[in-house]
Amino acid sequence: DQQVKQNSPSLSVQEGRISILNCDYTNSMFDYFLWYKKYPAEGPTFLISISSIKDKNEDGRFTVFLNKSAKHLSLHIVPSQPGDSAVYFCAASSNTGNQFYFGTGTSLTVIP
Amino acid sequence: EPEVTQTPSHQVTQMGQEVILRCVPISNHLYFYWYRQILGQKVEFLVSFYNNEISEKSEIFDDQFSVERPDGSNFTLKIRSTKLEDSAMYFCASRLQGAGVNQPQHFGDGTRLSIL
């Protein structure tokens, strides 16, 4: 049962342009959403999060948008840099915090 | 910056043997997790642990698996009677607080388990 879905396995973007990564979820009990970045041979690194009481959270070049009615969140990276090339996972949890559900990841390639 | 550390980075084990994966969570964190990622697949939750007991576990975490916090710093995952399909990356994560507080998990770099 795939409660968090990332339908785009890969994305290529030119350096300096915007990268938009998308994520959908099915469980209406989720109230905390996160994006992680993962390089090969490393663990996921926390990037940015948003709680369900907000619809936008911004941290430097990274902005996460949450559309609760559509059960959809997105990560915007602008401007994209070659160092952003990695696999990006979205994750979600309910307020118990006992389990985080991960999407299958989107591999972002930023072309210099 | 404090980090979660996992040892070993790569473990090769004969099928049927027992293996123990070790993790040192961030020192003031209270919640601990194990995940696994089979090659090419998503990161899957195995178990969460708080106050010296399991908080939640997935269907994957059956009697073959156990977790322990043997002292104040280590958090271990034991896999008994390993099978070929247990081959995966195993990630440990920790979190400062849990229920009702939105905080991210912090992950270690994983242990690659190869069952022969």
Side-chain angles (χ1 to χ4, degrees), chain B residues 8 11-22 63-66 68 76-83 86 113-115:
Chain B
Q11 174 77 45
V12 181
T13 301
Q14 289 288 330
M15 185 172 60
Q17 297 295 306
E18 175 181 290
V19 64
I20 297 176
L21 310 182
R22 291 183 165 79
D63 292 343
Q64 185 192 3
F65 295 86
S66 62
E68 191 178 32
T76 63
L77 174 68
K78 182 187 290 186
I79 309 174
R80 291 176 283 272
S81 302
T82 50
K83 300 173 283 192
D86 294 327
L113 178 62
S114 300
I115 306 299

Side-chain angles (χ1 to χ4, degrees), chain B residues 10-77:
Chain B
H10 191 191
Q11 174 77 45
V12 181
T13 301
Q14 289 288 330
M15 185 172 60
Q17 297 295 306
E18 175 181 290
V19 64
I20 297 176
L21 310 182
R22 291 183 165 79
C23 170
V24 179
I26 295 173
S27 62
N28 61 340
H29 284 192
L30 301 177
Y31 283 76
F32 315 113
Y33 306 80
W34 282 102
Y35 289 82
R36 79 174 185 189
Q37 185 180 27
I38 295 171
L39 187 63
Q41 299 186 23
K42 66 175 181 175
V43 175
E44 299 177 289
F45 169 78
L46 293 178
V47 66
S48 58
F49 191 87
Y50 169 70
N51 199 26
N52 285 319
E53 61 182 25
I54 291 173
S55 304
E56 191 163 339
K57 59 183 180 179
S58 70
E59 294 175 350
I60 304 167
F61 195 89
D62 59 19
D63 292 343
Q64 185 192 3
F65 295 86
S66 62
V67 289
E68 191 178 32
R69 188 155 163 80
D71 53 42
S73 60
N74 290 284
F75 178 52
T76 63
L77 174 68

Side-chain angles (χ1 to χ4, degrees), chain A residues 52-111:
Chain A
S52 59
I53 61 172
K54 293 186 173 183
D55 54 19
K56 177 182 174 181
N57 188 26
E58 192 171 350
D59 184 1
R61 296 186 297 114
F62 303 92
T63 303
V64 56
F65 294 92
L66 176 63
N67 182 335
K68 289 186 290 294
S69 61
K71 294 190 176 67
H72 177 83
L73 66 155
S74 61
L75 174 68
H76 292 209
I77 307 172
V78 56
S80 301
Q81 300 173 353
D84 296 329
S85 297
V87 178
Y88 290 78
F89 292 95
C90 69
S93 77
S94 65
N95 66 0
T96 66
N98 285 334
Q99 180 173 168
F100 284 65
Y101 295 85
F102 281 77
T104 50
T106 296
S107 178
L108 173 66
T109 301
V110 180
I111 303 165

